[in-house]
Amino acid sequence: MAEAILMPRLSDTMTEGVVAAWHKKVGDTVKKGDLLAEIETDKATMELESYQDGILLHIGTPRGGKLEVNDLLAIFGKQGEDITALIKANTRGASSATISSTVDTEKAPATSSSPAANSTTSATTNTTNTTNNIDASTMEEVVLMPRLSDTMTEGVIAGWHKKVGDKVTKGEVLADIETDKATMELESYKDGILLYQGAQAGEKILVNQLLCIIGQPGLDIDSIVKSIKAPSSATTAEAPKPAAAAPSKVSATPAAPVSAPAATASASVVNEGRIFASPLAKKIAKDKGIDLKYVQGTGEHGRITRTDLENYTPAINTSSVARAVAPRNTNFVGQVSFVDTPVSQMRKTIAKRLGESLFTAPHFYLTMKINMDATITARTVVNETAPVKISFNDFIVKAVALSLKQHPKVNSSWLGDVIRENHHVNIGIAVAVDEGLLVPVLRFADGLSLDEISVSVKEFAKKAKDKKLQPSDWEGSTFTISNLGMFGIDQFTAIINPPDACILAVGGIAQEPVVKNGQVVVGNVMNVTLSCDHRVVDGATGSAFLQTLKSYLEEPIRMFV
């Protein structure tokens, strides 16, 4: 008897899921334990295994479609079963736009294991698209831009590892995708020939739009691309645009140019329009301040490589020579100049998320001075025997973690309809990188020693700067610490990192006059500011948390009892 499979709840906060990929198609025989689909939740993309045997008779939504928890995901049964009533009975939450047309086993393609047969079937299906009302984006050969992080809305092609016409094997790296948080390698999940690329290096594609087509020769590529109507394809048809890595430089012409002898050489433009260069070459050019339009590429199709930049010698700038030899009594003529740098995916997401946080969550701020004399002494003693160097930040993280256990309301999350009081302590540590800010999460921080905290924070910082952080590294925080004290900042306020209810801004340690035993003496004082979401935390609650934090740092021996 046919059985309906509903969208499961794959995370504690999941309300809906997006089908990132189907690993089985209608008509396939599925065994218990087989990988059925990849489901993108609010926290990660997870593999969904089948928990029964049978034939896949129906899918509730094609790849890229969205279903709420408990909506119809699939139907299993026997060949030829009538599933019409089962579909009608289980389409409560799914919209008609996302539910695929009913396909019984008579319409399902004949079982075929060879790639050539699959591509022939796909091509035939695409040709009769208008008759059968089948979306070309659901074809097995079509690869859509996946969501590689929980906040990703679009990705930039940092570089292709395969070119059109290359043979691709399952598991091979297909391309490097720059997301809002890192540059990640995208592996192919099938074998075939790379027949089409939806964008070139430096161009962006929205999530779930056409990334590439992998199949066998003979597919009607033009028809597939037109039926999907991906904006990325329209973009590639327009006039070429400069690659994102090459910032545009604009300067005004001087009103009164100064006459001077001609220079011995001048720079000539060798690349017009879109510039093709490897990701490494773009990075080297950016670091050295080289404009790639003047560099002659020796790679395939004129692609600029690392070697080209290492061998590049900038030509003499004639305007600079002219100014250098101009008579001293000539009136100085300035130039208006500037550089436009494209906004990175990371910076866009920072702007969007923190803007939403600041203008949605009612922030209020509590500032406290903490005498760090005892912590300075304790750190000196600990570092005499510790296997790794312990920083002031490590002491602060430990003290915050212990304080959160005593004040669970500060360790809460705003989830809209409910306030979640977390019993576990996962502390996000803000790490500055060139493109912006990342917040890797130190899990169960209250149970970690100072050594373990130090090692973990250093590893996260290195992975963040190398763009090696994975989605599991930055998800699930319950509280965040942002420390700018090492940059000479005395005091600042931070924007809450949702869904956390609070974030602690830590300033530097400075010598100030303090009163001890009725005497004014010099003390080492640190300012901390707690930003609170007033929907979750009240002033008295936040103040009590800071008092506990102060007691730990002013008497650090209490952290080890």
Side-chain angles (χ1 to χ4, degrees), residues 243-293:
S248 60
K249 185 173 183 179
V250 183
S251 61
T253 304
V258 179
S259 61
T264 56
S266 61
S268 59
V269 176
V270 294
N271 297 308
E272 296 283 358
R274 184 187 303 154
I275 299 174
F276 295 94
S278 68
L280 180 57
K282 290 180 180 178
K283 184 178 185 304
I284 294 173
K286 182 179 180 181
D287 293 342
K288 292 186 175 182
I290 298 174
D291 194 334
L292 291 177
K293 69 182 179 181

Side-chain angles (χ1 to χ4, degrees), residues 264-343:
T264 56
S266 61
S268 59
V269 176
V270 294
N271 297 308
E272 296 283 358
R274 184 187 303 154
I275 299 174
F276 295 94
S278 68
L280 180 57
K282 290 180 180 178
K283 184 178 185 304
I284 294 173
K286 182 179 180 181
D287 293 342
K288 292 186 175 182
I290 298 174
D291 194 334
L292 291 177
K293 69 182 179 181
Y294 298 114
V295 181
Q296 179 64 57
T298 59
E300 187 177 10
H301 305 302
R303 185 180 179 85
I304 300 171
T305 65
R306 173 182 180 178
T307 305
D308 296 327
L309 287 169
E310 289 175 346
N311 297 331
Y312 174 70
T313 302
I316 297 174
N317 189 319
T318 55
S319 61
S320 299
V321 174
R323 287 194 297 271
V325 300
R328 294 182 61 85
N329 59 358
T330 304
N331 291 332
F332 176 76
V333 178
Q335 287 185 331
V336 176
S337 64
F338 55 87
V339 173
D340 289 335
T341 303
V343 179

Side-chain angles (χ1 to χ4, degrees), residues 57-202:
L57 302 178
H58 175 81
I59 60 175
T61 186
R63 178 173 54 191
K66 181 186 299 183
L67 293 174
E68 293 182 6
V69 171
N70 294 328
D71 279 349
L72 179 63
L73 177 64
I75 296 178
F76 286 92
K78 296 180 180 179
Q79 191 81 18
E81 279 193 82
D82 185 3
I83 58 174
T84 305
L86 200 56
I87 293 174
K88 290 181 179 179
N90 289 281
T91 54
R92 171 188 57 81
S95 66
S96 58
T98 59
I99 299 178
S100 62
S101 57
T102 304
V103 183
D104 57 27
T105 52
E106 285 80 14
K107 293 182 182 178
T111 56
S112 170
S113 58
S114 69
N118 287 338
S119 64
T120 304
T121 303
S122 300
T124 304
T125 303
N126 186 64
T127 304
T128 59
N129 189 22
T130 55
T131 305
N132 296 314
N133 194 28
I134 295 177
D135 185 357
S137 66
T138 64
M139 294 174 60
E140 183 182 354
E141 290 80 7
V142 172
V143 179
L144 304 180
M145 173 64 80
R147 190 185 303 274
L148 299 174
S149 81
D150 54 342
T151 55
M152 175 180 172
T153 58
E154 61 187 15
V156 173
I157 307 296
W160 285 98
H161 289 257
K162 297 289 183 179
K163 60 180 182 295
V164 173
D166 282 357
K167 183 178 179 181
V168 180
T169 305
K170 183 178 180 180
E172 283 189 310
V173 177
L174 193 60
D176 293 326
I177 307 296
E178 179 195 340
T179 73
D180 56 320
K181 293 184 175 177
T183 298
M184 307 177 70
E185 293 181 340
L186 177 66
E187 296 181 357
S188 175
Y189 56 83
K190 62 170 295 179
D191 300 332
I193 306 297
L194 182 58
L195 303 175
Y196 175 84
Q197 295 174 339
Q200 299 302 314

Side-chain angles (χ1 to χ4, degrees), residues 461-482:
K462 186 177 186 306
K463 288 171 69 175
K465 287 179 170 58
D466 294 342
K467 294 188 175 182
K468 297 297 184 182
L469 287 174
Q470 298 300 309
S472 58
D473 293 329
W474 63 66
E475 295 171 348
S477 69
T478 60
F479 187 91
T480 304
I481 297 175
S482 181

Side-chain angles (χ1 to χ4, degrees), residues 246-544:
S248 60
K249 185 173 183 179
V250 183
S251 61
T253 304
V258 179
S259 61
T264 56
S266 61
S268 59
V269 176
V270 294
N271 297 308
E272 296 283 358
R274 184 187 303 154
I275 299 174
F276 295 94
S278 68
L280 180 57
K282 290 180 180 178
K283 184 178 185 304
I284 294 173
K286 182 179 180 181
D287 293 342
K288 292 186 175 182
I290 298 174
D291 194 334
L292 291 177
K293 69 182 179 181
Y294 298 114
V295 181
Q296 179 64 57
T298 59
E300 187 177 10
H301 305 302
R303 185 180 179 85
I304 300 171
T305 65
R306 173 182 180 178
T307 305
D308 296 327
L309 287 169
E310 289 175 346
N311 297 331
Y312 174 70
T313 302
I316 297 174
N317 189 319
T318 55
S319 61
S320 299
V321 174
R323 287 194 297 271
V325 300
R328 294 182 61 85
N329 59 358
T330 304
N331 291 332
F332 176 76
V333 178
Q335 287 185 331
V336 176
S337 64
F338 55 87
V339 173
D340 289 335
T341 303
V343 179
S344 67
Q345 301 300 105
M346 183 184 298
R347 182 57 65 184
K348 283 183 181 178
T349 301
I350 290 173
K352 179 176 181 292
R353 284 175 58 81
L354 294 188
E356 290 174 350
S357 173
L358 184 60
F359 298 115
T360 302
H363 286 53
F364 73 93
Y365 309 97
L366 301 171
T367 299
M368 178 174 283
K369 291 181 180 292
I370 299 176
N371 191 314
M372 296 292 285
D373 287 346
T375 297
I376 292 173
T377 302
R379 176 175 178 263
T380 302
V381 174
V382 168
N383 277 334
E384 289 177 355
T385 57
V388 295
K389 185 178 181 180
I390 306 300
S391 68
F392 289 117
N393 191 65
D394 299 330
F395 273 92
I396 294 167
V397 171
K398 180 69 175 178
V400 166
L402 295 176
S403 302
L404 289 172
K405 293 296 289 185
Q406 297 184 41
H407 303 276
K409 287 186 178 180
V410 178
N411 192 46
S412 297
S413 302
W414 174 264
L415 301 179
D417 295 331
V418 298
I419 296 173
R420 174 166 296 162
E421 188 176 288
N422 300 296
H423 297 154
H424 59 286
V425 176
N426 290 351
I427 297 181
I429 310 294
V431 177
V433 294
D434 291 341
E435 293 84 358
L437 195 69
L438 292 174
V439 187
V441 178
L442 198 60
R443 302 182 186 281
F444 310 111
D446 56 307
L448 299 179
S449 66
L450 284 174
D451 292 355
E452 291 170 328
I453 291 172
S454 179
V455 170
S456 298
V457 171
K458 287 181 176 68
E459 287 179 353
F460 278 141
K462 186 177 186 306
K463 288 171 69 175
K465 287 179 170 58
D466 294 342
K467 294 188 175 182
K468 297 297 184 182
L469 287 174
Q470 298 300 309
S472 58
D473 293 329
W474 63 66
E475 295 171 348
S477 69
T478 60
F479 187 91
T480 304
I481 297 175
S482 181
N483 189 343
L484 293 179
M486 66 280 288
F487 298 107
I489 301 300
D490 294 327
Q491 181 182 332
F492 69 104
T493 57
I495 300 174
I496 297 169
N497 180 33
D500 299 354
C502 296
I503 183 172
L504 185 71
V506 180
I509 300 173
Q511 291 190 331
E512 295 182 7
V514 296
V515 178
K516 279 188 177 181
N517 301 321
Q519 300 286 330
V520 177
V521 297
V522 176
N524 294 281
V525 177
M526 179 179 72
N527 289 304
V528 295
T529 300
L530 184 69
S531 303
C532 304
D533 184 344
H534 219 323
R535 297 173 298 183
V536 181
V537 176
D538 295 326
T541 304
S543 299

Side-chain angles (χ1 to χ4, degrees), residues 29-44:
T29 298
V30 182
K31 294 182 179 180
K32 183 177 180 180
D34 282 353
L35 181 57
L36 182 63
E38 293 177 29
I39 306 297
E40 176 195 324
T41 73
D42 58 326
K43 293 185 175 178

